[in-house]
Amino acid sequence: MQECDYCGESFDGEEAYVEHLGAEHVDELGPIDRRRVGADAETESGLPVGPLALVLVIGATVAVVAYVTFFAGGSGTASGSVGPAGSAHYHGSIEMVVLGERVDFSRNEYQLRDNRFHFEAGDGSQWHAHATGVTLDYAMSSLGFEVTRTSVTYEGTTYRDADEGYDVTVAVNGNRVNPEEYVLQEGDRVRVVVREA
């Protein structure tokens, strides 16, 4: 029995499941599932999408690196901004629990959503940062969450610290941080917890 990661419907075989993905969820699919259903196999002109996309990505990367090197002083993180994809590569762990519900970052919806910060290969225990200057705010936003020092927005609901009956903890390596200012480092252990106060 195969269960759909997007809607929970069950299917007897792989073929039925892949057909369902292509018919019902094509706009939601991540890169791996898009390949499974053949959504990216060809453009309308009949040209293969993969090589064209690769050329565009390489061209854009070269343009960004050239801009940073020649016009922005080469730092890639001027004014605390996130550097270009590929300007770094480091890892860490993350735990997010909202009212007792642990967020499962191994789910497809959290895999490879952003080229600067993501989870990959179905592993939800280790995040990957591929740029300099990745703040905790940027990282969480890339996963679809809004996180401040005193609030967390999860599944459309914003939980605010103390005054609204919740205890919000946003910490890195055991220390509370301001997500907008904290720049992630190799080995950082991120913890975001929302409890009833």
Side-chain angles (χ1 to χ4, degrees), residues 57-67:
V57 168
I58 290 171
T61 302
V62 168
V64 167
V65 170
Y67 172 79

Side-chain angles (χ1 to χ4, degrees), residues 64-142:
V64 167
V65 170
Y67 172 79
V68 168
T69 301
F70 297 110
F71 299 107
S75 71
T77 57
S79 305
S81 64
V82 177
S87 59
H89 188 196
Y90 48 102
H91 312 90
S93 63
I94 188 167
E95 174 188 28
M96 183 171 175
V97 180
V98 179
L99 301 179
E101 179 183 341
R102 183 177 303 276
V103 177
D104 181 2
F105 292 109
S106 68
R107 291 181 53 93
N108 193 45
E109 64 194 273
Y110 301 116
Q111 299 288 306
L112 296 170
R113 287 182 54 144
D114 184 87
N115 61 357
R116 294 178 178 146
F117 181 90
H118 58 257
F119 292 91
E120 59 187 50
D123 179 9
S125 65
Q126 182 180 59
W127 51 257
H128 298 252
H130 292 276
T132 56
V134 174
T135 62
L136 181 54
D137 175 56
Y138 178 91
M140 297 306 288
S141 293
S142 75

Side-chain angles (χ1 to χ4, degrees), residues 134-183:
V134 174
T135 62
L136 181 54
D137 175 56
Y138 178 91
M140 297 306 288
S141 293
S142 75
L143 297 170
F145 305 108
E146 289 182 41
V147 176
T148 71
R149 184 187 307 217
T150 59
S151 70
V152 172
T153 301
Y154 174 68
E155 294 186 344
T157 301
T158 300
Y159 302 93
R160 288 187 172 72
D161 207 11
D163 63 328
E164 294 191 15
Y166 298 102
D167 178 29
V168 175
T169 301
V170 179
V172 177
N173 302 325
N175 300 310
R176 289 183 180 254
V177 297
N178 181 346
E180 294 175 344
E181 297 173 357
Y182 187 84
V183 176

Side-chain angles (χ1 to χ4, degrees), residues 16-95:
Y17 174 59
V18 171
E19 186 176 314
H20 167 77
L21 289 177
E24 300 295 327
H25 302 292
V26 74
D27 292 334
E28 305 170 53
L29 300 178
I32 293 171
D33 284 336
R34 289 186 67 77
R35 283 193 295 272
R36 286 175 79 186
V37 301
D40 293 334
E42 294 187 351
T43 65
E44 290 178 17
S45 66
L47 296 173
V49 173
L52 293 175
L54 183 60
V55 168
L56 289 174
V57 168
I58 290 171
T61 302
V62 168
V64 167
V65 170
Y67 172 79
V68 168
T69 301
F70 297 110
F71 299 107
S75 71
T77 57
S79 305
S81 64
V82 177
S87 59
H89 188 196
Y90 48 102
H91 312 90
S93 63
I94 188 167
E95 174 188 28

